[in-house]
Amino acid sequence: MKRWIYLLLIGFIAVAAYKYGYYQKLLAVSDKNTQRILMRLQEKPEPDPVQVETLTATAGQSSAAVSPYTGEALADDADSEDRVKEFFTLHPNARSLLLHSVRCNIDGCELTGEFTGQVSEFELMVEQLERQPWWRYGKASQKNATNTAKGRTRYFVLRYQAVVNS
C-alpha cells in the first residue's frame, strides 16, 4: 500500500513541476509582449525640420508645445485635461480603463492608455467623450490600438485636432 502512495506523490510532484514551468513561460512571454507594446506606444514620430528649428528657437521659453503652423508656443489646456480625466474616472466602465497620459493644448489633445473589455464598450466611451458639451477637439484624427496576446487588453493612442470655427 505504501508504494501506491509514493507513486501518487511522485506523480503529483511531476505534474506540479510541469505546470509551474508552463505558467512561468507564459508569464515571460506576456511580459515581453507588454514591454514591446508599451515601447511602441511611447515611440514618437520624427519631427519635421521646421518643428526642430522652431523648438530650438523657443528653447528659452517654458516647456509648452510649439505650433507647427505659427511657430508660437502653445499653452497647455489643463482644463480640458482635467475634464477628460474626470469624465473617464466617473464613467460607469471606469474600472476597465487605465489612462497613462492626457495631453491637451490649443491645437489638439492626445490620450494614451489601456482598456480591458469589449472593443464596442471602448468605442462607446470614446463617442460619449466626443459628445460632451465642453469637448472642443471633434473626432479622433488618429486611432492606434494594439491587443495583447490574450486579446482582452487594448493599448490605445487617440489623437485629436482642435476644431476650427470659421
Side-chain angles (χ1 to χ4, degrees):
M1 186 76 171
K2 283 187 173 182
R3 281 185 164 163
W4 288 105
I5 292 174
Y6 289 126
L7 286 175
L8 286 174
L9 184 61
I10 290 172
F12 175 76
I13 291 171
V15 169
Y18 173 76
K19 287 287 190 179
Y20 178 79
Y22 174 75
Y23 287 119
Q24 286 296 324
K25 182 179 176 185
L26 281 180
L27 283 173
V29 169
S30 176
D31 288 342
K32 287 179 186 175
N33 284 340
T34 302
Q35 291 299 323
R36 182 179 50 83
I37 290 169
L38 289 175
M39 290 302 293
R40 289 183 71 196
L41 285 175
Q42 292 174 352
E43 288 178 359
K44 300 286 184 186
E46 290 296 321
D48 294 335
V50 174
Q51 287 180 340
V52 172
E53 290 173 13
T54 308
L55 284 173
T56 55
T58 59
Q61 297 179 1
S62 67
S63 63
V66 176
S67 171
Y69 305 109
T70 62
E72 297 174 3
L74 299 176
D76 288 341
D77 189 0
D79 185 45
S80 291
E81 291 176 6
D82 291 340
R83 287 182 174 189
V84 169
K85 291 174 187 174
E86 181 180 353
F87 173 81
F88 284 120
T89 302
L90 298 176
H91 197 277
N93 289 339
R95 67 181 181 280
S96 301
L97 183 89
L98 174 64
L99 283 176
H100 295 289
S101 70
V102 177
R103 287 184 222 121
C104 296
N105 57 37
I106 295 170
D107 276 353
C109 197
E110 179 180 282
L111 311 171
T112 60
E114 55 188 271
F115 182 80
T116 305
Q118 299 292 327
V119 176
S120 58
E121 293 174 359
F122 174 68
E123 290 174 351
L124 179 63
M125 286 178 77
V126 171
E127 287 176 19
Q128 291 170 344
L129 170 69
E130 294 169 351
R131 283 188 262 140
Q132 294 299 309
W134 50 265
W135 186 250
R136 61 183 194 90
Y137 296 102
K139 301 282 185 196
S141 60
Q142 183 178 2
K143 292 182 183 180
N144 296 331
T146 309
N147 286 345
T148 61
K150 299 283 184 190
R152 298 244 338 128
T153 302
R154 297 178 60 83
Y155 295 92
F156 64 88
V157 176
L158 299 173
R159 289 188 179 95
Y160 293 91
Q161 296 296 320
V163 176
V164 178
N165 295 331
S166 334

